[in-house]
Amino acid sequence: MLIKRTHQHSPRHGSVVESLAGQAGGLDRRSFLRKSGLAGGALAALGALPVGSVRKAEAAMAGPLTAGATIRKNICTHCAVGCTVTAEVLNGVWIGQEPSWDSPINRGSHCAKGASVRELVHSERRLRYPMKLVNGQWTRVSWDSAINEIGDKLQAVREKSGPDSVYWLGSAKMTNEGAYLFRKLGAFWGTNNTDHQARICHSTTVTGVANTWGYGAMTNSYNDIRNAKTQVILGGNPAEAHPVSLQHLLEGKELQKANFIVIDPRLTRTAAHATEYVRMRPGTDIPVLYGMMWHILQNGWEDKEFIRQRVYGFDDIKKEVEKWPPEEVERVTGIPGEQLKRVAKMFATEKPATLIWAMGQTQKTVGTANVRASCIALLMTGNVGKAGAGANIFRGHDNVQGATDVGLDIVTLPFYYGLAEGAWKHWSRVWEVDYDFLKSRFDSKQIMETPGIPLTRWFEAVTLPKDQVAQKDNVKAVFVQGHASNSITRIPESLKGLKALELLVIADPHPTTWASLSVEAGRKDGVYILPVATQFECKGSRVASNRSLQWGEQIVKPIFESKDDLEVIYLMAKKLGFGDQMFKKIKVENNLPEAEDVLREMNRGSWSTGYCGQSPERLKAHMKNQAKFDMLSMRAPKDDPEVGGDYYGLPWPCWGSPEVKHPGTPLLYNTNLNVMDGGGTFRPRFGIEREEKLPDGTTRKVSLLADGSYSLGSGIQDGYPEFTLASLKKLGWDTELTEAEMAVINKINPANPDTVSWALDLSGGIQRVALAHGCVPYGNGKARMNAFGLPDPIPVHREPIYTPRVDLVAKYPTLPDAKQFRMPNIGFSVQKAAVEKGIAKQFPLILSSGRLVEYEGGGEETRTNPWLAELQQDMFIEINPADAAERGVKDGGWVWVTGAENNSRAKMKALVTERVGKGVAWMPFHFGGWFAGKDLRGNYPKGTDPIVLGESANTITTYGYDPATGMQEPKVTLCQIAAA
C-alpha cells in the first residue's frame, strides 16, 4: 500500500548520476557526501540507480578531509533524537559534514534533513538584516534602530495596557541557555505569557506523565528500546518523524525477535515494518487502551506485586476499565476484539514491553487523558522502571524537552518549580535580585502566580472582548523568536489577531508565515523582522528526548547581520531597562552573554529536576569522548579519567553539584540500581497520604508512599517522603552537613530552616547527604493511576469536538465549558452546535495531520532547503480510493478541501491511497505560503520566500483545547474534499 516512486529519469537526476558514474574509479562515500554537502536530492537520485551501478564500498581515511581544517560538533536541529553533526571548517567556512560515527545515538546515520543541515547556514534565502513593514513594503533598518523602536513600542504598550499585554513566544529551536533566558526575560518584564512549541506537541505528555509518576519526560531511551520484547507504537510514526531512531527500534526487533505492534488510523511507513498493524478510528486512544486493559484484567495478566508496592488508585481504574468490553471497544474504535486481545497478551506477558508515542496521542482535547491512560497500561503490567520497558515519548523539535525543562512555559518558572510565592523566592535567590522587585514588575501578586495564556490561543487573547480575558487588557503585541505561525490551528481566526495587533516582532533565520500572513491580514506597518542565527552558528546545550544533554560548538560565526538568540535577548533586556539585573551573574562580552555562564546559573537553581550536575565542562568532555560510551547501556567505562562511569549526556536527573559526579539517570524510576548508579523511585509529588471516602460515608487515610519497594542500596528500605533538613535531623544524618552548607540553609529560611528541602537548598548539601545513604532526594512514593486534581482524574473517553460519530456524543461528551488559562474554553458548546447543525453530514471525512520525513515543523526552514525541496514539492491530502471515487477525485489531481469552521478552504493535490481507511483523510502539516487557494509568495521580503509553498493544514483545523494544558486538536476534525 505504500507509494513507491517509479523509475522516471529526469534530465536533472540523470546528470547527477552520469557525473558521478563518469569519475575515474568512482567516488567514495565520504567524498560524495562532502561534495554534495550531504545533498538530499543527489542521495535520492542514487537510490534509483540500477543494481549494476553499485560497486563494493571502500573504507575511507579517518580524520579531517581537508588539510588545515578544524572539526567541530553540534546537534541536528530537526528532531529530538539528538544526532551529532560533525562539521569540517576551513577559514571560517563550513565545507564538509559527517554524521558522527562516534555518537552512541546516531552512530554514523543521518536522515534526509540531518544530511542537509549545512544548507541552513549557507542558504541564500536567509534573512540578511533587520526589516520593518512601512506602508506595506518591507524596508531595511539597522539593528540599533530596530531594537530602539521595538523597545519604545513595547514600553508604550506596557504603560497603557500592562505587562501581560505583550506575548513572548519563544522556541524549542533555542539552546537551553536561550530558552532559559527568554523565560527569564518574561519574568523580568512581568508576565507569565511566555510559551513555546511544547504547548502544541507534548504539553499534554508533560502534564499527564508528571501527574502519574513525577516527571514529565521519556522514561527510557531510543537505545534502550533495543532491550524490549514487545514494542507498541500508539500515536507515532518514527520512520518519518524520527528516522534515525528507527535503527534502534528495528535492530531491537530483529535481535530480540520482538513484537512490533503499530496502532494507527493510517498505514504509515512505520506500520510497514509491523508484525501486527491495528487500524483504529482517530480520536479513540483511550478506548483502545482500556480495551487492552480489559483483556489484561480478565486474564489476570496484570503485575499484582508491582501494583501493590508501587501504584495508587488501582481499584478506581478497574471500575472504568469494566465499562469497555470488546463489543463496546469495537463499536467505538473499529478494532476487532480478538485482535486487541492478541495485542494485550503480547504487551502484558512478553516483557519487557514499551509503549511509544508522539503527537498522535497528544494533539487532542483529551491529550492529557490519553497520555495518562498509556501510563496506566504500563503500570498495570509492571512495564516501568526497567530496561526495555517504559514510556518512550518521541519529542519533535531538537530542544523541545530542554526548553520545557528550563521553564519556557506559561505554568511554571524554570525546572518545574511552579508559580507560587516560594518558587519566585527561590529564583530571586538564584538570580540575586529582590523578590519585591520581581513582584513590582507584575500587575499584581495574584497575576504573578497565575498561569499565562497558551500560544494556541494568542489570537483570541487579542480579539475576544476585554472582559473575557482575565488580565488587565487584551494582548496588544507579540514578540515571537523561533516559532512558526502555521503550526497553530485555526489560521483564519489568527488572521484577525494579526490584523488587530499594535506590534508584531519576528526574530528568526527566516521570515516565516508570521510575515506572509500578517501582510495577507492587511497589515501595512507595525511588523519587524530580526535575523537570528541558526544553532550551528551558536554554542550551548540541548536535550534529546531521552533527557541527555549535549553541548553544541559554534561551527561558524553568524552570517550576514544575524545575531545569536542570547544577544537578541540581552539587547532587548538592556533596552527595556533591566539588563544589568537580569545578567548580574552572567558574563556578557560585546553584547553576547556567555553560554557557559548561563548554564552554570541554571545548575545553581535546578535542584528540583537534577540539572545541577551537568556543568559545561562535563558536557564538553562527553562530546569529546563520544566513542567511549557503550551503545546499548550508554555508559562509559568507570576507569576513564574524563567521563568514567557517566551515562552519555548525563540524562537528568543528574543529582548534586558537578563535584558529586552523579552519572545521570538513563532509566527513570529504576529500583534495580543504586541512586548513584542511575537508580530511582517514583516521586511522591502529591502528598504522602490521601483521605478517601468510603461507600458508607466514612473516610480512611491511604498512604501514597511505596510499600516495601526501594532502590538498591537505599538506607531507608520502604517508602519515604522528600528530604528536608527536618527529615535529616529525624534520621540523624544532619551532622553530615558541612558548616558552609548549613549556613546556606539557614540563610534560605532563617525563621524555620527545618522546612528547607532538597529542591530549595542552594548548597546542595541535603541532596549530597541523601545520595550518600542511597536515597533519592525527592522521596519514594507510589505512581498514581488516580491523578486527583486533573479534570479527569481517571481518564475518560470523550468524543472529539468535531466527530463523525454523533451517535456517541451523548454517552461520551467533551467536558463542560469552563474558564481555563485566563480564557473561556467553550468546547462543549461548539460540540453541541456541531451536532445540532449536522456538521458531520456536510463534512463527512475525518481529517488528521502529521509529519513527512523531508520537512519539519512549520516547514519554512526545510522548505527553503533546495535538497529537501526537491524531494517533496507539493502540498497534498491523502484520500482513500473509495472516497476518491465517490467524489470524482483523481490521483495527483487538484482538489479543494473545505473545513467545518470559518468557511475555510484550501487547494492542494490529492494522493489516492489505501494508507488511510475509508472516511479518513490525512495532510502533512509542514506547508505554508498559500492561503485559501492564493499564492502568498509576494508577501515575503524579496529573496526570502521558501522554495516550496503550499496550503497549511491548519487553515482547515478547528476549535478544541485540552482543559489541563490548552493543547489544540489538529489530529481529529472534519472536512470535505471536492475535485478542483
Side-chain angles (χ1 to χ4, degrees):
M1 294 184 186
L2 299 182
I3 301 298
K4 290 186 177 180
R5 295 178 186 271
T6 56
H7 289 283
Q8 296 173 344
H9 297 285
S10 70
R12 177 174 52 193
H13 285 184
S15 63
V16 172
V17 173
E18 289 160 15
S19 65
L20 293 176
Q23 298 195 31
L27 199 65
D28 69 43
R29 181 180 179 280
R30 282 177 180 259
S31 299
F32 164 65
L33 295 178
R34 181 167 155 257
K35 288 179 182 291
S36 65
L38 285 172
L43 290 173
L46 285 182
L49 280 172
V51 175
S53 301
V54 180
R55 63 180 180 79
K56 185 178 178 181
E58 297 174 6
M61 296 292 292
L65 303 180
T66 304
T70 301
I71 295 297
R72 294 183 183 139
K73 291 181 179 180
N74 207 306
I75 311 303
C76 180
T77 58
H78 288 314
C79 80
V81 172
C83 299
T84 303
V85 174
T86 298
E88 182 188 6
V89 181
L90 184 65
N91 298 324
V93 178
W94 187 355
I95 63 169
Q97 178 187 335
E98 287 282 356
S100 298
W101 308 90
D102 291 339
S103 166
I105 294 175
N106 60 306
R107 305 166 62 242
S109 301
H110 269 331
C111 71
K113 294 186 293 290
S116 63
V117 291
R118 191 172 69 105
E119 185 63 29
L120 302 183
V121 173
H122 288 276
S123 175
E124 295 180 355
R125 292 173 180 260
R126 284 268 298 271
L127 286 167
R128 296 173 182 242
Y129 36 74
M131 307 183 83
K132 69 176 180 178
L133 197 60
V134 180
N135 295 324
Q137 299 297 315
W138 294 109
T139 306
R140 181 176 182 173
V141 293
S142 69
W143 267 100
D144 286 346
S145 295
I147 294 294
N148 284 326
E149 291 175 23
I150 292 166
D152 290 343
K153 288 175 185 288
L154 290 174
Q155 293 284 29
V157 168
R158 180 191 179 95
E159 185 68 26
K160 181 180 70 172
S161 300
D164 283 318
S165 62
V166 178
Y167 200 94
W168 300 90
L169 182 48
S171 182
K173 280 281 183 285
M174 293 174 173
T175 59
N176 283 327
E177 294 71 28
Y180 168 82
L181 287 180
F182 200 84
R183 177 60 178 101
K184 190 177 179 183
L185 178 73
F188 276 69
W189 172 256
T191 187
N192 294 322
N193 286 335
T194 55
D195 212 352
H196 81 289
Q197 283 93 340
R199 182 69 41 210
I200 58 174
C201 61
H202 279 284
S203 58
T204 45
T205 284
V206 173
T207 300
V209 175
N211 273 280
T212 302
W213 46 50
Y215 285 120
M218 186 179 197
T219 59
N220 293 43
S221 70
Y222 298 109
N223 299 55
D224 179 69
I225 294 170
R226 292 167 171 272
N227 291 310
K229 296 287 188 183
T230 298
Q231 301 177 36
V232 176
I233 303 172
L234 172 59
N237 179 18
E240 295 205 70
H242 305 84
V244 174
S245 75
L246 210 65
Q247 65 172 303
H248 298 296
L249 276 65
L250 294 183
E251 287 184 30
K253 173 192 169 189
E254 295 303 317
L255 294 170
Q256 301 287 352
K257 296 181 173 56
N259 306 303
F260 192 88
I261 302 161
V262 176
I263 308 173
D264 200 287
R266 180 170 170 258
L267 184 64
T268 62
R269 285 186 166 87
T270 305
H273 297 282
T275 57
E276 179 98 30
Y277 169 60
V278 183
R279 198 190 288 278
M280 60 179 279
R281 176 169 69 92
T284 60
D285 306 77
I286 292 170
V288 170
L289 289 159
Y290 279 160
M292 290 171 58
M293 289 185 241
W294 188 91
H295 288 293
I296 289 167
L297 294 177
Q298 284 287 310
N299 290 278
W301 295 330
E302 73 273 20
D303 190 328
K304 298 174 181 63
E305 184 66 2
F306 183 92
I307 292 167
R308 184 189 69 78
Q309 291 187 317
R310 303 189 69 187
V311 175
Y312 168 78
F314 178 59
D315 289 340
D316 298 326
I317 209 72
K318 279 201 297 186
K319 294 174 186 174
E320 188 65 28
V321 171
E322 286 169 2
K323 300 175 185 177
W324 290 97
E327 299 76 23
E328 182 67 359
V329 172
E330 183 168 1
R331 183 174 83 95
V332 173
T333 70
I335 302 173
E338 281 303 310
Q339 185 178 30
L340 207 54
K341 180 180 180 180
R342 188 163 61 245
V343 170
K345 184 175 183 180
M346 287 186 279
F347 181 70
T349 65
E350 298 181 41
K351 302 196 292 187
T354 181
L355 194 50
I356 298 167
W357 73 83
M359 296 190 297
Q361 280 198 40
T362 64
Q363 287 186 325
K364 291 165 184 167
T365 53
V366 290
T368 299
N370 284 344
V371 166
R372 288 262 307 116
S374 291
C375 294
I376 289 165
L378 290 163
L379 290 171
M380 186 177 286
T381 53
N383 275 307
V384 191
K386 59 187 70 171
N392 281 302
I393 306 150
F394 288 14
R395 307 300 296 263
H397 287 276
D398 55 304
N399 198 36
V400 71
Q401 181 67 57
T404 307
D405 298 336
V406 304
L408 186 40
D409 199 302
I410 59 171
V411 300
T412 184
L413 284 162
F415 304 105
Y416 310 104
Y417 278 85
L419 294 172
E421 181 180 313
W424 283 103
K425 287 186 173 179
H426 169 75
W427 283 103
S428 68
R429 289 190 291 268
V430 177
W431 295 334
E432 296 187 12
V433 297
D434 190 70
Y435 165 75
D436 288 330
F437 162 74
L438 290 174
K439 187 169 69 172
S440 73
R441 299 294 297 165
F442 286 78
D443 277 330
S444 67
K445 184 177 186 293
Q446 180 185 5
I447 204 79
M448 181 185 192
E449 297 173 7
T450 300
I453 296 167
L455 71 85
T456 49
R457 309 198 66 190
W458 73 266
F459 48 89
E460 288 184 298
V462 179
T463 59
L464 279 176
K466 185 176 177 179
D467 62 359
Q468 291 188 31
V469 184
Q471 55 185 43
K472 182 178 178 181
D473 203 349
N474 293 75
V475 167
K476 304 290 185 182
V478 171
F479 191 110
V480 53
Q481 189 162 335
H483 194 297
S485 71
N486 57 319
S487 295
I488 305 169
T489 55
R490 305 172 64 207
I491 285 177
E493 288 293 322
S494 75
L495 262 65
K496 300 172 188 177
L498 285 170
K499 185 174 184 179
L501 285 172
E502 294 180 18
L503 174 67
L504 172 63
V505 181
I506 307 157
D508 198 276
H510 301 271
T512 76
T513 52
W514 288 98
S516 62
L517 289 175
S518 66
V519 174
E520 184 63 18
R523 294 199 68 92
K524 301 292 184 184
D525 51 33
V527 182
Y528 290 79
I529 307 178
L530 304 177
V532 172
T534 69
Q535 293 311 313
F536 299 108
E537 299 155 87
C538 308
K539 62 178 178 177
S541 63
R542 278 174 277 162
V543 185
S545 278
N546 70 314
R547 297 168 285 105
S548 284
L549 280 72
Q550 299 182 93
W551 186 268
E553 298 176 283
Q554 183 186 54
I555 292 177
V556 290
K557 293 186 181 301
I559 65 168
F560 307 126
E561 293 184 22
S562 299
K563 291 187 182 296
D564 190 310
D565 283 312
L566 276 61
E567 183 175 356
V568 176
I569 294 167
Y570 175 73
L571 291 173
M572 288 308 307
K574 188 166 70 168
K575 170 63 183 176
L576 297 172
F578 47 78
D580 289 345
Q581 291 141 300
M582 182 172 160
F583 291 88
K584 184 176 183 179
K585 301 294 290 183
I586 298 167
K587 180 183 177 182
V588 178
E589 192 169 335
N590 296 324
N591 293 324
L592 179 62
E594 184 69 38
E596 289 87 348
D597 258 14
V598 180
L599 179 53
R600 291 185 188 102
E601 180 173 283
M602 290 156 58
N603 294 153
R604 290 196 296 272
S606 58
W607 305 97
S608 65
T609 313
Y611 263 73
C612 36
Q614 302 100 329
S615 66
E617 293 75 19
R618 292 187 79 186
L619 296 184
K620 289 177 182 180
H622 279 222
M623 298 302 290
K624 175 185 171 186
N625 293 280
Q626 283 181 317
K628 296 177 181 177
F629 292 89
D630 179 74
M631 184 270 292
L632 187 59
S633 70
M634 299 186 78
R635 197 168 197 185
K638 290 192 174 184
D639 59 356
D640 186 83
E642 289 190 87
V643 294
D646 287 353
Y647 295 99
Y648 180 68
L650 300 170
W652 64 261
C654 179
W655 298 119
S657 64
E659 292 72 30
V660 170
K661 290 286 187 183
H662 188 272
T665 307
L667 312 179
L668 291 175
Y669 322 120
N670 183 1
T671 56
N672 299 310
L673 294 176
N674 188 291
V675 65
M676 283 303 292
D677 274 323
T681 53
F682 291 134
R683 182 180 174 188
R685 287 184 63 181
F686 309 96
I688 59 174
E689 62 181 10
R690 182 169 187 245
E691 189 170 87
E692 295 181 337
K693 286 186 179 180
L694 299 174
D696 63 1
T698 60
T699 62
R700 66 175 180 182
K701 288 186 176 180
V702 179
S703 174
L704 299 178
L705 298 179
D707 183 1
S709 171
Y710 46 88
S711 54
L712 184 68
S714 174
I716 304 174
Q717 298 193 352
D718 205 352
Y720 51 90
E722 67 172 358
F723 279 86
T724 62
L725 179 59
S727 60
L728 289 186
K729 287 181 176 179
K730 188 174 180 180
L731 292 162
W733 297 350
D734 60 305
T735 57
E736 298 171 38
L737 293 167
T738 67
E739 189 175 326
E741 289 168 343
M742 276 304 305
V744 172
I745 291 168
N746 283 314
K747 188 177 179 182
I748 291 169
N749 190 342
N752 191 4
D754 280 4
T755 63
V756 175
S757 73
W758 62 283
L760 299 179
D761 171 19
L762 297 184
S763 77
I766 293 175
Q767 284 199 14
R768 182 185 60 77
V769 172
L771 295 170
H773 290 271
C775 293
V776 183
Y778 57 63
N780 179 14
K782 287 184 174 180
R784 302 192 307 165
M785 286 186 171
N786 181 339
F788 47 88
L790 286 179
D792 280 327
I794 301 296
V796 174
H797 171 60
R798 300 184 181 280
E799 281 293 305
I801 302 297
Y802 288 94
T803 174
R805 293 294 304 275
V806 293
D807 57 309
L808 296 176
V809 171
K811 186 174 182 180
Y812 303 114
T814 194
L815 282 163
D817 294 348
K819 196 144 194 173
Q820 295 151 0
F821 301 104
R822 309 187 186 186
M823 316 253 301
N825 182 344
I826 58 169
F828 184 85
S829 295
V830 174
Q831 186 182 63
K832 183 172 181 287
V835 173
E836 291 171 351
K837 293 177 182 177
I839 294 293
K841 291 182 179 178
Q842 301 170 52
F843 302 93
L845 298 176
I846 300 173
L847 176 64
S848 193
S849 61
R851 195 159 168 170
L852 298 173
V853 71
E854 296 88 355
Y855 296 141
E856 190 241 355
E860 296 284 278
E861 190 174 57
T862 42
R863 285 183 288 106
T864 299
N865 187 322
W867 308 112
L868 299 174
E870 180 183 351
L871 300 177
Q872 189 61 258
Q873 299 179 19
D874 296 302
M875 173 59 175
F876 63 90
I877 185 166
E878 292 182 355
I879 181 172
N880 183 270
D883 294 321
E886 288 175 6
R887 292 161 174 78
V889 168
K890 305 289 187 185
D891 184 45
W894 288 96
V895 295
W896 282 104
V897 183
T898 50
E901 292 179 355
N902 288 299
N903 296 312
S904 60
R905 63 181 198 147
K907 189 178 182 182
M908 62 197 69
K909 290 188 175 180
L911 175 58
V912 179
T913 174
E914 291 182 343
R915 286 179 188 168
V916 290
K918 184 169 172 26
V920 177
W922 181 92
M923 291 182 189
F925 57 59
H926 310 293
F927 288 81
W930 279 30
F931 179 71
K934 181 181 177 183
D935 188 331
L936 307 184
R937 195 175 291 277
N939 292 0
Y940 291 86
K942 187 176 180 181
T944 65
D945 49 311
I947 297 167
V948 171
L949 302 181
E951 296 273 13
S952 171
N954 282 319
T955 298
I956 305 299
T957 51
T958 48
Y959 197 98
Y961 300 101
D962 176 79
T965 63
M967 168 65 81
Q968 59 194 19
E969 190 164 48
K971 285 289 185 282
V972 200
T973 187
L974 296 175
C975 75
Q976 181 59 287
I977 301 174

